[in-house]
Amino acid sequence: MHRSKLSRSILLALGLVSAGGAIAADAGTAGTSSGGNAAAPTQLDAMLVTGTRASNRTQFETLAPVDVFTKQDIQSVDSTDLKDVLAQLVPSFVVQRLPMADGQVFVRPATLRGLSPDQTLVLVNGRRFHRSALLGNRGAQAADLAQIPTSAIKRIEVLRDGASAQYGSDAIAGVINIILEDSPGTEITAGYSQYAQGDGGSRDFSARTGWALGDYGSLALFAESSNSDATSRTRQRPDAIAFQAAHPELDVPNPVQRWGQPELESRRVGFNLKANASDTLELYAFGLYSHSDGVSDFNWRNPDTTTGAYRTTSIFPGWNLRSLYPVGFSPQYGNTQNDLQLVAGLRGEITPKLRWDLSASYGRNAIDYSLDNSINASLGPDSPTSFDLGRLTQTEKNANADFNYEWDVAALSKPVNVAFGAEFRQETYQVRAGDPASYAVGRGAAAGLEANSNGAPGFSASQAGQWSQRSKAAYVDMEVPLGERWSIGAAGRYEDFSSFGSTVDGKLSARFAITPDVALRGTLSTGFRAPTPAQLNTTSTTQGLDTRTLQIFTSGRLSPSDPLAQLLGAKPLTPEESRTASLGLTWRTELGLSGSVDVYRITLSDRFSQSASFAIPAGTPNPLGYTSVNYFTNDFDTTTTGVDVVGNYLRDLGAGRMTLTLAYNYNQTRVDNGSTSVATNETQRVLFEDRLPEHKGSFTGSWDVGAWSLMARVRYYGKWTDSTGNATGDIYQQFGAMTFLDLAVGYRINEHHSLRVGADNLFDRYPDEATFQASRGLIYSRNAPYDTDGANVYAQYRLTF
């Protein structure tokens, strides 16, 4: 088929076509060594667009480590949640389940190299993906990968290196670039999975179809749905057992609250369009939309001990909450999300060596919270039992102008690649107040009845508002081939933010080919993560259960600009800043064996967190009944050191083809100084240093023979430490290492139909029990860096045509 001049130029610029005109192969296709001898296929031959703006750059040739995961890799993991997929594929990527952790039940934090979730930049088709509206643990506000349909993905590129000088804010730990499908054809998948204990059933359906628009481009459409039932790994709470014994006339539910995954329904759709307007102009656009509804349990309220709700008072004569909730109540926390990402652009060439790309994007994430089976006790009999808690909305607008020039230098055998451009970004954060009853302080408060909707107070009128931040950036990025062995790179970026001023960051990279198939590479870079409008301006209220007293406590998180926060020591937020150094060795052989070893060191200063908690000063108004308050602050410095090891082996085995992949990460973070390193905030230091495993790895083997495909994966997680999260007197527990085995078998019935069955955690293994949380009915720690629900069995049917 005829390919237009522009289409080939653009693909060349993005590294999707070789200089000779051949379409670049995905991982696993044959490549050639620079010496000209044919090399066996290796997993280092995939063409890249992440971490480099040079054309015709492969994994083996990059100046920094990049993982490439194909569609087949993604489909080998039984999950429609992209976070779970990456957790099994990327050695240094960890995601937690976090049952009963407010909004984090639905927007789960995911970390790369043990750093904060918002220190990893997420791109889709090379364009920045917007953040979630949720501020998670310690205030992190990251992109929610779960909003991206896995069935729409062609491949994923993960740059494991600091890249703020190339991409801007957030790219401290690395960059995850999601490349959407654009190929013709139709694929329909239906699947069902369920845990061995009989719960958590998930019904998944996806459809993708694509067309080649003659010689003028392509269009792909995506649709995906998932309905997941709740899981429960819970024992009856000891105080609920005691309550039942004291009240034999009542029928107390067993258990009174559920620890597990939420009930969740999700719908996702999208498109990916490319169209040639002429031989020198191409239009592109893509869009993703997601809607989800979920419900999760909260802590049980004991009628005998929850005096703030069950107190009787003459203010409400004859009213007793026991008449409404005689066996106590567990509030039901609801989450409705609507997520939208739209990108459109034009790209072309001024000359064959000078190409340009202009684009604009709009991203929006809105989360509506609700609470059922609850009460605002201070309103007495006038209180509803269901509440609209309000809405959080994150909106981002981006405009980019990018240029790429292949500069011929007489002294060099290959052109110098020079990329430069500018970016404008506006972030807006909005808080809509909930029902007045969700945050009202009723007249019963004077008698000790708790105000606000019990379980999660709504956003009040004083918390509501809208805040914006603008930034302007300019960058230059060069890669210089110094002969056949040396390549060097340099990048610089200037960025100015309306909230706090400007920052300049740089990156130096080098690669030396020891032989045509063995090379050393290294980078030095600085980076930053800018505080968001939400972190700069918002306040929130949360409730928790003390595992010692079994009393509900209410914590307030204040804005750094709040007068009370400033009285307690709050100062204006500034960007987190990083310095990263990495050194690696990469290789490939004619035997099909390839791999890399990369060591790194990341020093972070002015890390963002919540301050220590403070009691409300005497005489200070406290209408929301805060037990304690804290605020966001640039709190401390850390040093993270680690090593990534990736190895691949491809060879023919019998009548089939075998692939072996080893992925291992060692990652250690230590607090250097700051308020978290002192005894008054020991919990913060322990959690930053030990909350995630230092060792994580996987070994995957697959064998395709005839119509059959077999896959086995061993996943390993090292020891880690958790805490109760009590308001005072935190309790710690160390959990040992865990190993899981996943197994799957596929059968291709014919060219259109195929089946796949498998099991994750085949041997139904569970971690140590969380004895420090037994008083809450919890069996396994909710902060575990892996699924704690046991074996998950699944079946999939796929139709392609």
Side-chain angles (χ1 to χ4, degrees):
M1 179 181 293
H2 170 72
R3 183 179 303 275
S4 73
K5 177 182 177 183
L6 170 71
S7 190
R8 181 186 175 279
S9 297
I10 292 170
L11 292 173
L12 180 65
L14 294 179
L16 299 178
V17 65
S18 70
I23 296 296
D26 280 338
T29 60
T32 59
S33 69
S34 58
N37 298 321
T42 73
Q43 297 282 49
L44 294 183
D45 292 322
M47 305 301 294
L48 303 179
V49 298
T50 308
T52 177
R53 292 183 169 92
S55 62
N56 201 26
R57 180 74 74 183
T58 69
Q59 274 181 285
F60 178 70
E61 297 167 329
T62 57
L63 280 64
V66 180
D67 294 322
V68 178
F69 301 103
T70 66
K71 189 177 187 69
Q72 290 71 31
D73 295 325
I74 297 165
Q75 291 177 343
S76 74
V77 181
D78 176 53
S79 180
T80 59
D81 189 326
L82 183 54
K83 293 180 181 179
D84 291 329
V85 173
L86 289 170
Q88 291 202 25
L89 297 178
V90 181
S92 61
F93 191 87
V94 176
V95 63
Q96 298 165 285
R97 282 286 181 191
L98 297 179
M100 210 181 294
D102 296 355
Q104 292 185 115
V105 175
F106 306 101
V107 184
R108 297 181 296 145
T111 65
L112 186 67
R113 289 185 164 178
L115 301 182
S116 177
D118 54 5
Q119 290 170 345
T120 298
L121 177 63
V122 175
L123 308 175
V124 176
N125 282 354
R127 293 294 176 245
R128 179 182 285 265
F129 190 72
H130 60 275
R131 309 177 198 275
S132 166
L134 175 72
L135 273 68
N137 193 19
R138 291 177 295 277
Q141 188 184 6
D144 184 10
L145 287 162
Q147 303 301 325
I148 301 172
T150 57
S151 59
I153 300 174
K154 181 176 184 178
R155 70 179 186 276
I156 303 172
E157 299 179 356
V158 181
L159 171 64
R160 294 180 277 110
D161 194 44
S164 291
Q166 297 165 292
Y167 297 101
S169 178
D170 307 348
I172 290 177
V175 179
I176 298 174
N177 191 8
I178 312 299
I179 309 298
L180 299 179
E181 267 285 7
D182 57 0
S183 57
T186 299
E187 181 174 276
I188 299 173
T189 303
Y192 180 78
S193 65
Q194 181 175 288
Y195 285 94
Q197 291 200 21
D199 59 4
S202 180
R203 296 153 293 278
D204 305 313
F205 176 84
S206 66
R208 178 195 63 83
T209 187
W211 302 273
L213 305 177
D215 291 340
Y216 301 102
S218 63
L219 172 64
L221 302 177
F222 324 111
E224 188 173 280
S225 71
S226 178
N227 296 318
S228 300
D229 299 331
T231 64
S232 180
R233 301 295 177 266
T234 316
R235 292 194 182 104
Q236 184 66 303
R237 285 174 45 157
D239 61 333
I241 296 173
F243 179 80
Q244 178 70 87
H247 303 276
E249 74 282 4
L250 299 176
D251 185 14
V252 179
N254 186 5
V256 290
Q257 68 185 63
R258 180 184 55 80
W259 290 97
Q261 299 179 35
E263 180 181 338
L264 185 63
E265 295 185 5
S266 300
R267 305 288 184 270
R268 306 180 186 99
V269 296
F271 73 93
N272 189 20
L273 170 68
K274 298 177 183 178
N276 297 328
S278 69
D279 282 349
T280 57
L281 185 65
E282 182 182 73
L283 165 70
Y284 63 91
F286 67 88
L288 299 171
Y289 173 76
S290 174
H291 172 83
S292 63
D293 290 288
V295 178
S296 176
D297 276 20
F298 269 3
N299 284 298
W300 177 63
R301 273 60 176 167
N302 186 333
D304 286 350
T305 60
T306 312
T307 56
Y310 281 89
R311 186 189 307 271
T312 58
T313 169
S314 59
I315 296 177
F316 303 120
W319 183 76
N320 189 331
L321 190 56
R322 290 177 188 265
S323 63
L324 181 62
Y325 297 127
V327 296
F329 62 99
S330 298
Q332 300 293 294
Y333 190 60
N335 176 295
T336 298
Q337 284 199 66
N338 289 283
D339 192 276
L340 175 67
Q341 178 85 5
L342 292 172
V343 175
L346 289 168
R347 55 194 174 199
E349 60 180 35
I350 299 172
T351 71
K353 291 185 177 295
L354 178 59
R355 295 172 293 275
W356 57 270
D357 190 328
L358 303 178
S359 66
S361 67
Y362 174 86
R364 181 178 184 270
N365 178 258
I367 308 176
D368 290 273
Y369 293 109
S370 62
L371 198 67
D372 296 323
N373 201 48
S374 182
I375 197 77
N376 182 337
S378 72
L379 297 177
D382 296 328
S383 172
T385 58
S386 296
F387 302 87
D388 171 14
L389 303 181
R391 174 185 295 171
L392 303 177
T393 305
Q394 170 79 9
T395 304
E396 298 180 28
K397 300 174 184 177
N398 290 269
N400 292 82
D402 301 297
F403 300 86
N404 201 87
Y405 178 61
E406 293 181 10
W407 178 23
D408 290 320
V409 179
L412 300 176
S413 59
K414 297 179 181 179
V416 175
N417 195 86
V418 182
F420 55 95
E423 179 182 54
F424 172 80
R425 183 165 74 254
Q426 177 178 294
E427 292 187 54
T428 301
Y429 195 76
Q430 184 176 17
V431 178
R432 176 183 64 78
D435 293 335
S438 69
Y439 58 86
V441 181
R443 55 196 178 96
L449 287 171
E450 292 175 344
N452 317 309
S453 48
N454 200 298
F459 302 114
S460 68
S462 63
Q463 292 175 305
Q466 179 173 300
W467 305 271
S468 292
Q469 175 176 268
R470 295 177 177 85
S471 65
K472 297 172 288 185
Y475 74 89
V476 62
D477 188 351
M478 300 179 63
E479 293 189 26
V480 183
L482 300 177
E484 293 297 322
R485 295 196 172 204
W486 277 102
S487 295
I488 60 173
R493 186 181 184 96
Y494 169 83
E495 196 142 359
D496 181 75
F497 288 80
S498 59
S499 298
F500 56 82
S502 61
T503 180
V504 178
D505 288 279
K507 183 172 184 177
L508 297 175
S509 309
R511 180 182 182 276
F512 177 71
I514 302 171
T515 73
D517 295 315
V518 179
L520 282 171
R521 62 191 179 196
T523 66
L524 293 171
S525 65
T526 63
F528 74 103
R529 191 201 65 81
T532 68
Q535 294 165 342
L536 289 165
N537 298 286
T538 63
T539 64
S540 69
T541 303
T542 58
Q543 291 184 340
L545 180 74
D546 191 294
T547 61
R548 287 176 167 171
T549 66
L550 296 184
Q551 295 297 306
I552 301 296
F553 60 84
T554 303
S555 300
R557 193 266 300 153
L558 308 178
S559 163
S561 59
D562 185 280
L564 176 56
Q566 293 180 343
L567 177 66
L568 296 172
K571 297 179 180 179
L573 295 177
T574 61
E576 298 174 310
E577 297 184 347
S578 69
R579 297 184 302 278
T580 300
S582 69
L583 180 65
L585 178 71
T586 182
W587 68 88
R588 61 185 181 183
T589 73
E590 295 182 0
L591 301 177
L593 178 66
S594 63
S596 62
V597 176
D598 293 274
V599 296
Y600 57 86
R601 178 184 175 90
I602 306 168
T603 58
L604 269 160
S605 59
D606 296 329
R607 285 198 67 167
F608 184 79
S609 184
Q610 291 177 192
S611 71
S613 295
F614 300 91
I616 301 295
T620 302
N622 189 16
L624 296 179
Y626 288 140
T627 309
S628 61
V629 294
N630 55 47
Y631 51 83
F632 288 147
T633 180
N634 295 101
D635 199 32
F636 61 106
D637 304 336
T638 62
T639 299
T640 298
T641 55
V643 58
D644 287 323
V645 180
V646 177
N648 299 284
Y649 182 51
L650 287 76
R651 64 162 297 172
D652 294 333
L653 181 64
R657 185 166 181 79
M658 179 185 70
T659 303
L660 301 177
T661 302
L662 169 70
Y664 165 78
N665 170 254
Y666 168 77
N667 192 87
Q668 181 190 78
T669 295
R670 290 291 177 259
V671 175
D672 298 327
N673 56 66
S675 64
T676 56
S677 61
V678 299
T680 56
N681 210 344
E682 179 72 3
T683 297
Q684 290 283 354
R685 184 190 63 80
V686 170
L687 293 183
F688 267 98
E689 293 187 348
D690 302 323
R691 77 188 191 280
L692 297 176
E694 291 185 348
H695 301 270
K696 180 175 179 279
S698 66
F699 182 75
T700 304
S702 62
W703 185 38
D704 297 320
V705 52
W708 293 91
S709 62
L710 306 175
M711 189 279 293
R713 177 180 291 121
V714 177
R715 293 179 283 130
Y716 174 81
Y717 298 82
K719 63 182 181 180
W720 58 284
T721 298
D722 199 5
S723 74
T724 55
N726 288 341
T728 59
D730 229 330
I731 305 170
Y732 304 98
Q733 182 177 343
Q734 186 178 90
F735 294 87
M738 286 292 296
T739 303
F740 304 102
L741 174 64
D742 308 329
L743 193 65
V745 179
Y747 180 69
R748 188 175 65 255
I749 301 171
N750 55 41
E751 63 176 326
H752 299 299
H753 305 274
S754 62
L755 296 172
R756 190 171 189 264
V757 296
D760 290 342
N761 188 6
L762 178 67
F763 296 124
D764 199 27
R765 297 201 64 206
Y766 293 88
D768 301 334
E769 293 192 5
T771 56
F772 71 145
Q773 295 272 19
S775 61
R776 310 172 75 177
L778 181 69
I779 300 177
Y780 309 108
S781 172
R782 66 175 179 173
N783 296 316
Y786 37 70
D787 190 346
T788 59
D789 285 334
N792 187 49
V793 182
Y794 61 89
Q796 290 178 345
Y797 163 74
R798 180 169 286 114
L799 170 65
T800 58
F801 56 91

